[in-house]
Amino acid sequence: MVSSNLIWYLVPVALLCNAVLSVENGTECGGDEPGIKYELVQQLKQIQFRFMEIFVHIKELGELVVNNQRSIDLNQQQTNQLFQFLGSQVAENVSQMVSYSKQILDLQTICANHDSIRKELLKTDPTLNSRSLQNAQKCTESSSLETDKASDAVKSCDDTGSTSSGLFNLTVASFGPVVVFCEILKTGGWIVIQRRFDGSVDFYRNWTDYRNGFGSVDKEHWLGLEVIHQMTKQGGYELMIELETYDGNYTYAQYSEFAIGGESEQYALQTLSGYSGTAGDQLSPPYGIKFSTFDRDNDNYGYNCAESWKGAWWYNACSYTNLNGQYMNNSYYTSIFWKGIKAGIQYTRMMIRQKVSYF
């Protein structure tokens, strides 16, 4: 377009130049008036000069347009390259995410299969879970929780001589050494028998698991009904239950007397009295209430409370508490439940300790 426009400007310029030459040679514009001829020539020269300026200006504009067009083309090319690069990066990230998701799924499948195999083995050897727990506890001794504490067996958490909480080897009469978590900081001497804080351990388990114990002692776990029975049958044990809701409200229930029977008695609550605390006395049922799981219905109701409430507990008909229920932010009875607490419970800890005798 610039070239065609230039032609239209060059034509009149050429004609003017021709006219100027004709006037200078006296061939046109008639007349012999030297003054008029001179003035006319001067005006035509000015016009010619002006047209030349316009011509140069148009040429410069044409070059500017061409350069701008080149810059636009280059920017467009760079933009396309950038989009191609970003697209390749996004595709690579998506591919990595898909790969990671598959790895997670594979690990979950392996864990699920491992749990299924363990349960099948337990059917043939009920003591396997107890031995596995002891092995896991031995491995835990090498963790970050002051591993040297579990090297020498002690009779109680009060005998550790330690000023900090951690894992210790506890000698239990008629049972042998057991690795336990001793809570030393909170008035000292407490043995943690149940702890839940992140939902990493499934507490909807069968009778064998609750008898032998499960989980990791330094994390979420149930110590085991048989161990608790062997401890409390010696007499003089108290119970502490700590609860904390998802909104940070902490309460506790403490009982000055606590003991459970053996397996032949279905680990019944033999002693539970002397309540104090802020949570409310919701645990004290009539004495003799037996422990129930989904495969061992020992409650006093028309259906299996453990199965309906998705837990395992000392259910009567059924209960005002369900500390081994499902881990969720809900105050429904199938979740971790304590009557009177309206919010979901995200932390529970049950501890026992032997009372000090001064006589």
Side-chain angles (χ1 to χ4, degrees), residues 8 19 25 42 74-75 105 132 158 193 222 292 295 313 328:
W8 288 103
N25 295 329
Q42 293 302 318
L74 180 61
N75 291 336
L105 181 60
S132 298
D158 285 326
I193 64 173
W222 174 264
S292 291
D295 62 339
W313 198 245
M328 63 177 70

Side-chain angles (χ1 to χ4, degrees), residues 139-185:
C139 292
T140 308
E141 295 171 17
S142 61
S143 68
S144 59
L145 290 169
E146 303 181 60
T147 58
D148 56 293
K149 294 180 179 179
S151 58
D152 299 325
V154 294
K155 293 183 178 180
S156 71
C157 289
D158 285 326
D159 298 332
T160 62
S162 175
T163 58
S164 60
S165 303
L167 301 179
F168 295 89
N169 240 336
L170 195 67
T171 300
V172 180
S174 304
F175 195 87
V178 178
V179 177
V180 300
F181 189 94
C182 288
E183 176 56 70
I184 306 297
L185 299 179

Side-chain angles (χ1 to χ4, degrees), residues 281-336:
D281 182 13
Q282 307 297 349
L283 184 58
S284 296
Y287 293 131
I289 294 300
K290 303 172 183 177
F291 198 86
S292 291
T293 59
F294 63 78
D295 62 339
R296 187 74 65 91
D297 185 4
N298 290 321
D299 61 57
N300 296 320
Y301 208 55
Y303 55 82
N304 189 337
C305 292
E307 184 177 2
S308 300
W309 286 41
K310 304 300 180 185
W313 198 245
W314 291 279
Y315 297 111
N316 183 17
C318 289
S319 179
Y320 293 141
T321 57
N322 191 30
L323 298 191
N324 292 329
Q326 293 178 307
Y327 191 89
M328 63 177 70
N329 188 0
N330 196 316
S331 59
Y332 198 54
Y333 62 86
T334 57
S335 63
I336 301 175

Side-chain angles (χ1 to χ4, degrees), residues 9 37 79 85-86 106-107 122 147 154 173 189 241 257 274 276 299 301 303 323 328 348 355 358:
Y9 283 104
K37 179 189 294 187
T79 302
F85 173 75
L86 293 176
D106 291 341
L107 290 174
L122 283 174
T147 58
V154 294
I241 297 175
E257 299 288 341
S276 62
D299 61 57
Y301 208 55
Y303 55 82
L323 298 191
M328 63 177 70
T348 69
K355 294 189 294 185
Y358 297 100

Side-chain angles (χ1 to χ4, degrees), residues 68-125:
N68 288 341
Q69 185 62 44
R70 289 175 181 172
S71 298
I72 293 173
D73 293 340
L74 180 61
N75 291 336
Q76 183 65 42
Q77 182 181 1
Q78 293 176 346
T79 302
N80 292 338
Q81 291 176 350
L82 178 60
F83 278 122
Q84 291 176 357
F85 173 75
L86 293 176
S88 64
Q89 291 296 310
V90 171
E92 182 179 352
N93 291 337
V94 170
S95 177
Q96 290 180 354
M97 290 178 63
V98 172
S99 176
Y100 292 153
S101 299
K102 185 178 182 302
Q103 293 178 23
I104 292 173
L105 181 60
D106 291 341
L107 290 174
Q108 290 175 336
T109 302
I110 292 173
C111 291
N113 292 337
H114 174 77
D115 191 58
S116 299
I117 293 172
R118 182 186 61 79
K119 290 181 179 179
E120 291 298 322
L121 291 174
L122 283 174
K123 292 179 181 179
T124 59
D125 185 1

Side-chain angles (χ1 to χ4, degrees), residues 113-287:
N113 292 337
H114 174 77
D115 191 58
S116 299
I117 293 172
R118 182 186 61 79
K119 290 181 179 179
E120 291 298 322
L121 291 174
L122 283 174
K123 292 179 181 179
T124 59
D125 185 1
T127 66
L128 180 62
N129 191 69
S130 178
R131 296 200 304 269
S132 298
L133 178 59
Q134 294 300 320
N135 291 334
Q137 291 168 340
K138 291 178 182 178
C139 292
T140 308
E141 295 171 17
S142 61
S143 68
S144 59
L145 290 169
E146 303 181 60
T147 58
D148 56 293
K149 294 180 179 179
S151 58
D152 299 325
V154 294
K155 293 183 178 180
S156 71
C157 289
D158 285 326
D159 298 332
T160 62
S162 175
T163 58
S164 60
S165 303
L167 301 179
F168 295 89
N169 240 336
L170 195 67
T171 300
V172 180
S174 304
F175 195 87
V178 178
V179 177
V180 300
F181 189 94
C182 288
E183 176 56 70
I184 306 297
L185 299 179
K186 289 198 172 184
T187 66
W190 291 101
I191 302 169
V192 179
I193 64 173
Q194 186 253 34
R195 187 180 179 213
R196 305 186 71 181
F197 60 91
D198 63 3
S200 59
V201 175
D202 182 11
F203 273 66
Y204 188 49
R205 294 174 177 258
N206 60 24
W207 180 264
T208 301
D209 285 352
Y210 271 94
R211 178 188 65 199
N212 299 333
F214 55 85
S216 298
V217 180
D218 61 331
K219 299 177 182 177
E220 288 202 339
H221 74 284
W222 174 264
L223 188 59
L225 290 166
E226 185 61 32
V227 177
I228 299 171
H229 161 64
Q230 295 295 338
M231 290 179 181
T232 60
K233 77 175 185 178
Q234 303 171 35
Y237 272 81
E238 54 186 325
L239 171 69
M240 165 79 79
I241 297 175
E242 295 181 304
L243 307 166
E244 185 174 344
T245 61
Y246 280 88
D247 55 9
N249 182 34
Y250 172 86
T251 55
Y252 74 95
Q254 186 169 347
Y255 296 87
S256 60
E257 299 288 341
F258 172 73
I260 65 173
E263 186 169 18
S264 61
E265 302 165 291
Q266 308 301 304
Y267 299 113
L269 276 172
Q270 290 183 333
T271 305
L272 186 68
S273 61
Y275 166 81
S276 62
T278 58
D281 182 13
Q282 307 297 349
L283 184 58
S284 296
Y287 293 131

